[in-house]
Amino acid sequence: MPLMLNDPMIPLALTGIALLLLFLSGWLAWPWMMASLQQSRIRHILSGFEHEGAVALHDVMLADRKGETVWIDHLLVSKRGLLAVQVLAFNGQILGSLRDALWTIENNLGRHRFPNPLRQTAQAEEVIANILGSKFTVQTAIIPAGGSITGSMPAQVIPAGRLRDFILAESEKNLSESRIRWLSNTISQVLIDDPAQKQKHMEEVMARLGDRAKLRRAKIIMLASCVLMLAVIAIVGLHYAAWAGEV
């Protein structure tokens, strides 16, 4: 006997399908969900140093003399100097060394290469030196958000839970609060704050990793699950209206 609109199994079946799609979309989007949580956690950790006069800058985009952009997720200016914090929002196993120009991420999409984040910080260090007019060493902390570390990785690759201790372990450079403010203000004045350029940067990163299509699929599946849930609500509403009419 074919299923009819008033069949009570229809909303149950649609609910099951919608929940399955929600689970699938969550699995596909898991690296970005974890990265978002880690970004919030890192912001909270860095804000904990504000009582000693530190200044934290987030989503830092700078341009070198050739016009090429340099991205830093978080930049902490404190009495210990400059610290760049990069978050790796990749799902899978991460492999790389200090000397490698490219690191590797292995996941269900295969093997993908991405620029060594430590070398990116070295490029940012050069840009910051040009901005400030003097050489400043930029320390680096690499935080894997959705991935796991494989083999021997550089000491700068740490979990988010160790970030505060990592910062405290750095020797103080005796920078005064006025010097810290000058450094942060000088860098802030040359930041690229164009949303279009930042969006382009993120798309280039995801395209390089083959993850842009994966994220797009997650959004489509999540939209489909929402449509199914709306259908369930509509059908349940019809059932209730029919029941109320009989009463």
Side-chain angles (χ1 to χ4, degrees):
M1 180 178 179
L3 289 175
M4 303 300 291
L5 187 62
N6 60 355
D7 192 320
M9 291 302 296
I10 291 180
L12 289 176
L14 290 178
T15 300
I17 295 172
L19 291 175
L20 180 63
L21 289 175
L22 279 175
F23 173 81
L24 180 59
S25 63
W27 177 75
L28 288 171
W30 179 251
W32 293 276
M33 294 166 62
M34 286 299 298
S36 179
L37 291 173
Q38 294 287 42
Q39 297 283 17
S40 299
R41 185 180 184 184
I42 291 168
R43 286 173 183 260
H44 177 71
I45 293 172
L46 297 182
S47 66
F49 291 90
E50 292 177 355
H51 71 279
E52 61 179 40
V55 177
L57 304 175
H58 309 286
D59 299 332
V60 175
M61 179 177 275
L62 302 168
D64 61 15
R65 292 177 175 177
K66 298 179 181 179
E68 297 181 359
T69 56
V70 177
W71 178 276
I72 303 174
D73 290 322
H74 309 274
L75 182 65
L76 182 68
V77 187
S78 71
K79 59 186 179 181
R80 296 171 182 82
L82 302 178
L83 171 70
V85 181
Q86 302 282 32
V87 179
L88 302 183
F90 311 145
N91 186 28
Q93 294 184 325
I94 301 170
L95 307 93
S97 68
L98 189 63
R99 296 180 179 179
D100 293 338
L102 297 173
W103 285 8
T104 302
I105 180 75
E106 292 184 347
N107 54 30
N108 60 338
L109 295 176
R111 291 171 61 95
H112 305 284
R113 309 296 294 274
F114 62 97
N116 183 338
L118 295 172
R119 292 198 174 191
Q120 286 184 304
T121 303
Q123 184 183 3
E125 185 177 280
E126 181 179 344
V127 173
I128 290 173
N130 292 332
I131 294 170
L132 300 177
S134 58
K135 179 71 173 179
F136 265 88
T137 300
V138 180
Q139 302 297 330
T140 310
I142 309 296
I143 311 292
S148 59
I149 303 300
T150 300
S152 178
M153 296 290 289
Q156 294 92 332
V157 182
I158 58 173
R162 285 185 50 205
L163 179 58
R164 185 175 184 277
D165 293 336
F166 182 86
I167 296 172
L168 292 173
E170 292 293 324
S171 59
E172 296 185 8
K173 306 296 190 299
N174 296 320
L175 293 177
S176 64
E177 288 193 21
S178 60
R179 181 66 169 169
I180 292 172
R181 284 195 300 271
W182 178 83
L183 288 171
S184 60
N185 289 338
T186 303
I187 295 173
S188 297
Q189 289 172 5
V190 296
L191 290 180
I192 298 175
D193 198 24
D194 183 0
Q197 282 192 267
K198 289 187 175 183
Q199 180 64 26
K200 181 181 178 182
H201 165 81
M202 296 305 298
E203 289 181 355
E204 288 175 352
V205 171
M206 287 191 292
R208 187 184 302 120
L209 295 172
D211 284 345
R212 182 165 55 181
K214 185 178 179 181
L215 184 58
R216 187 184 298 115
R217 287 196 297 269
K219 291 179 179 179
I220 293 172
I221 293 173
M222 187 172 292
L223 177 62
S225 65
C226 290
V227 171
L228 281 177
M229 289 302 293
L230 289 174
V232 170
I233 294 172
I235 293 173
V236 170
L238 290 173
H239 275 274
Y240 177 78
W243 173 81
E246 292 175 359
V247 173

